[in-house]
Amino acid sequence: MSIANYRRMRKFKLEGRLANISMMFPNVEFRITPKTRDGRAINIHLLISPDDPNHENEN
């Protein structure tokens, strides 16, 4: 449960290194049980709005 890579990519974006990327947002993924009938894990993604100026610091 980390947005470390988001922070890294956001820094690159702010430095102008990702000019072709128009939108980024942090995503925390959870894998839960029970699995599906096919035996695959169920993934839940929590998407965090980057519009909040404090979005990286909220816990």
Side-chain angles (χ1 to χ4, degrees):
M1 292 183 24
S2 169
I3 61 167
N5 285 331
Y6 167 77
R7 287 184 172 143
R8 182 173 174 230
M9 297 305 289
R10 185 168 183 247
K11 180 177 180 270
F12 290 165
K13 177 73 173 156
L14 294 172
E15 294 171 349
R17 296 175 60 182
L18 303 172
N20 61 334
I21 304 294
S22 61
M23 179 181 253
M24 291 190 308
F25 50 92
N27 168 31
V28 179
E29 179 179 345
F30 300 91
R31 294 190 180 173
I32 64 170
T33 56
K35 295 182 178 183
T36 66
R37 280 183 260 168
D38 298 339
R40 295 183 178 174
I42 297 172
N43 298 327
I44 297 174
H45 295 262
L46 172 63
L47 306 178
I48 301 164
S49 173
D51 293 336
D52 179 353
N54 199 31
H55 73 278
E56 289 187 57
N57 299 321
E58 293 290 325
N59 292 315

